[in-house]
């Protein structure tokens, strides 16, 4: 890893829109690699930090849609977006929830209490086929992308383990190594029909040269004890891939940034109806008749928020405005409120996290496992 390079601390950011795909790139004062030279500046620059010895890092949240039911094409799209972000000099790139494998918005999988339909079972078969094994060839390709473009990559995927699916985030370092994963511990509502539940063994926070990075997915960010576990691991760059584009999501992200004294990077897909297969192959239950191919079914709203609760970026499809942020605010925010440090009262309130894997079947010896496998 390259040694820190002292530079001045302009806070730089840009967002671009290409083919209904938005990429937002931000710079903060934790990076190790300076911006690449360019004859035409790619980023607006404003000096907002008084520490002239600070180094810089550039982070990107990607707002783009899956190629539904086509994982190879989605991987190709991910690489194009990653290359674009790397062209801006980004060192950290965060993708939305379920980008690889797809978020099955509007689908019921034919399930009602007491029965399932034949089409719903076929929908699950196709969704299962679009998921990826971890580890597996798709993970290897994502690792190679991270190494090729020299970025830390946070990628939302649908993970397949046997015939159970998990909504998962994968982490890769800039040398092309797979670091680990987080499985969503509590799917929301109908998501529980198709996704399994993660356990305490996959709530990592990775110490990297650009900061301590972790993730929670969509509405599990509303779970106070999960957030506290991540704060206890010292998270600094809190990634929150999501499928929620409502205004109330912005309030959740702002609260987490203030509560944890960390930067929050939330990436969401921007999707139109035509980004999903047409009916009758794929049906938005209860809404299909009101939709046209160009109807927006997920409005994005990806956001980056500072530790002092300032929204330094909220990205819409047509948003090309430059915004500014100063990640030196982490220490300044912790001076006010350190949720697991000087503002905690462990003698009154404490949390114990069971961080071991939980399995449906556990064999007490290798011989028992071998014997069972031959029955």
């Amino acid at each position: 890893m390259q040694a820190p390079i002292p530079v001045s601390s302009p806070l730089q950011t840009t967002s671009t829109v290409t083919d209904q795909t938005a990429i937002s790139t931000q710079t903060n004062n934790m990076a190790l690699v300076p911006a690449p030279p360019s004859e035409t500046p790619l980023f607006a620059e404003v000096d907002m930090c008084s520490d002239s010895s600070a180094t810089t890092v550039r982070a990107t949240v990607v707002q783009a849609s899956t190629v539904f039911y086509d994982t190879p094409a989605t991987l190709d799209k991910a690489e194009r977006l990653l290359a674009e972000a790397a062209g801006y000099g980004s060192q950290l790139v965060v993708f939305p929830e379920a980008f690889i494998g797809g978020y099955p918005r509007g689908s019921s999988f034919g399930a009602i209490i007491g029965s399932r339909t034949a089409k719903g079972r076929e929908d699950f078969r196709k969704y299962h086929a679009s998921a990826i094994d971890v580890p597996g060839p798709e993970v290897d390709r994502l690792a190679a992308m991270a190494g090729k473009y020299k970025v830390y990559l946070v990628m939302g995927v649908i993970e397949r383990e046997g015939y159970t699916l998990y909504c998962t985030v994968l982490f890769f370092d800039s040398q092309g190594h797979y670091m680990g994963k987080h499985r969503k511990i509590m799917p929301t509502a109908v998501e529980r029909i198709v996704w399994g539940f993660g356990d305490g063994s996959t709530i990592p926070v990775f110490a990297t040269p650009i900061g301590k990075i972790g993730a929670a997915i969509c509405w599990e960010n509303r779970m106070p004890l999960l957030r506290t576990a991540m704060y206890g691991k010292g998270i600094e760059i809190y990634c929150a891939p999501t499928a929620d584009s409502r205004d109330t999501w912005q309030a959740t992200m702002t609260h987490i940034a203030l509560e944890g004294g960390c930067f929050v990077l939330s990436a969401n897909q921007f999707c139109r109806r035509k980004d999903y297969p047409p009916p009758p192959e794929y049906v938005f239950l209860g809404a299909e008749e009101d939709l046209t191919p160009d109807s927006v079914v997920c409005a994005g709203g990806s956001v980056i928020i500072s530790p002092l609760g300032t929204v330094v970026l909220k990205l819409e499809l047509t948003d090309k405005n430059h915004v500014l942020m100063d990640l030196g605010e982490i220490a300044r925010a912790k001076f006010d409120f350190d949720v697991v440090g000087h503002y905690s009262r462990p003698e009154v309130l404490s949390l114990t996290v069971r961080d071991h894997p939980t399995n449906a079947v556990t064999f007490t010896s290798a011989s028992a496992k071998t014997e069972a496998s031959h029955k």
Side-chain angles (χ1 to χ4, degrees), residues 98-263:
F99 185 78
I100 306 295
Y103 186 80
R105 186 176 301 278
S107 179
S108 68
F109 289 88
I112 60 174
I113 294 175
S115 68
R116 269 72 56 198
T117 66
K119 183 182 185 306
R121 295 180 192 279
E122 176 62 10
D123 289 344
F124 179 78
R125 184 201 64 77
K126 290 188 290 187
Y127 193 51
H128 178 270
S130 299
I132 67 172
D133 297 323
V134 181
E138 294 86 1
V139 177
D140 293 342
R141 183 175 175 188
L142 289 167
M145 290 181 200
K148 177 180 179 180
Y149 298 106
K150 304 301 181 188
V151 299
Y152 285 84
L153 173 61
V154 179
M155 175 64 74
V157 307
I158 300 303
E159 177 191 358
R160 178 179 57 219
E161 183 174 317
Y163 291 94
T164 299
L165 304 180
Y166 296 92
C167 184
T168 298
V169 168
L170 306 181
F171 301 85
F172 302 88
D173 70 18
S174 59
Q175 303 305 305
H177 301 128
Y178 166 63
M179 295 193 294
K181 67 184 178 185
H182 165 63
R183 283 177 172 173
K184 192 174 190 177
I185 66 171
M186 177 51 71
T188 300
V190 182
E191 292 174 356
R192 297 172 199 168
I193 294 175
V194 290
W195 294 344
F197 292 39
D199 60 37
S201 68
T202 65
I203 311 176
V205 171
F206 298 99
T208 77
I210 63 169
K212 295 178 180 178
I213 303 171
I217 305 168
C218 207
W219 277 22
E220 67 175 358
N221 283 284
R222 294 182 171 189
M223 301 173 71
L225 299 184
L226 174 60
R227 299 198 305 268
T228 302
M230 296 173 68
Y231 302 151
K233 294 185 176 185
I235 192 166
E236 296 171 326
I237 301 173
Y238 187 117
C239 303
T242 188
D244 190 343
S245 61
R246 299 172 305 163
D247 290 341
T248 51
W249 179 251
Q250 307 295 317
T252 297
M253 296 296 94
T254 300
H255 174 77
I256 291 172
L258 284 167
E259 180 180 65
C262 52
F263 274 82

Side-chain angles (χ1 to χ4, degrees), residues 239-292:
C239 303
T242 188
D244 190 343
S245 61
R246 299 172 305 163
D247 290 341
T248 51
W249 179 251
Q250 307 295 317
T252 297
M253 296 296 94
T254 300
H255 174 77
I256 291 172
L258 284 167
E259 180 180 65
C262 52
F263 274 82
V264 174
L265 289 74
S266 182
N268 191 10
Q269 299 194 29
F270 181 95
C271 304
R272 298 185 187 274
R273 176 62 185 89
K274 63 187 177 185
D275 293 318
Y276 287 81
E281 180 183 5
Y282 193 102
V283 175
F284 279 72
L285 189 66
E288 191 64 59
E289 60 276 10
D290 298 324
L291 299 175
T292 69

